[in-house]
Amino acid sequence: MEVVYFAGGCLWGVQAFIKTLPGVQLTEAGRANGTSQTLEEDYDGYAECVKTEFDPTVVTIRELMGYFFEIIDPYSLNKQGQDVGEKYRTGVYSEKPEHLQEAKAFIGKRNDSNLIVVEVLPLTNYIRSAEEHQDRLARCPNDYCHIPEELLNMYK
């Protein structure tokens, strides 16, 4: 198994979507690339993200990027749907340089690559979100989600 981290606005919908994808074995709501080691600190620059454990013999980073781009607005800086702020920025993070190369290649091959504001960066810090955020939409299906329901359920 390999691990990559996707930030696509509020993590509730991102996690609900990603966990339905082929090859995805495990998801976890969290915070990527902040400076703190705890959840109790003030905002520290993190992006809300979904830790995604996947089987690379079933799905590639490029394929995961394709799915990811179905649920985000890649041109929107620090905003997805009604969620606004730096913590809602879009990004792909990994400890494996190969993942980042693949993600950059995916973006680079698009005709609109010069307009895309999705971060592709090494993972420098990760903190698991509080239990109340794990699989939130499964437990609270009426909570706000910026991803349309038909997209959330497309691969179920």
Side-chain angles (χ1 to χ4, degrees):
M1 294 301 136
E2 295 184 11
V3 177
V4 66
Y5 302 77
F6 290 102
C10 176
L11 53 77
W12 301 344
V14 177
Q15 183 179 28
F17 176 77
I18 288 177
K19 72 184 321 166
T20 68
L21 300 178
V24 172
Q25 303 296 312
L26 179 77
T27 62
E28 180 179 89
R31 298 176 175 183
N33 287 3
T35 58
S36 175
Q37 298 301 316
T38 72
L39 298 173
E40 286 74 42
E41 304 289 325
D42 290 333
Y43 179 70
D44 65 355
Y46 68 83
E48 289 196 2
C49 74
V50 176
K51 179 180 180 180
T52 305
E53 184 177 305
F54 67 99
D55 182 343
T57 66
V58 177
V59 66
T60 67
I61 289 291
R62 286 188 194 213
E63 289 168 327
L64 287 171
M65 289 292 292
Y67 292 126
F68 180 56
F69 269 57
E70 291 178 14
I71 60 166
I72 64 166
D73 176 352
Y75 317 119
S76 182
L77 184 63
N78 300 332
K79 180 181 186 303
Q80 293 292 305
Q82 295 175 23
D83 301 314
V84 179
E86 188 180 358
K87 72 179 182 177
Y88 298 118
R89 68 188 180 273
T90 53
V92 180
Y93 312 97
S94 181
E95 295 174 306
K96 289 189 73 168
E98 302 85 5
H99 290 170
L100 303 176
Q101 292 165 356
E102 288 293 308
K104 288 177 182 176
F106 172 88
I107 292 170
K109 288 189 179 199
R110 291 177 53 111
N111 293 334
D112 59 354
S113 63
N114 62 320
L115 303 173
I116 292 174
V117 295
V118 177
E119 289 185 331
V120 179
L121 296 171
L123 182 75
T124 58
N125 186 24
Y126 173 77
I127 300 175
R128 184 182 193 274
S129 288
E131 197 56 42
E132 69 188 78
H133 296 292
Q134 304 300 325
D135 297 308
R136 176 75 181 207
L137 281 185
R139 292 182 293 102
C140 305
N142 294 324
D143 279 2
Y144 168 75
C145 179
H146 68 283
I147 303 169
E149 192 170 338
E150 60 273 11
L151 280 178
L152 282 176
N153 299 315
M154 188 168 19
Y155 298 104
K156 279 189 174 179

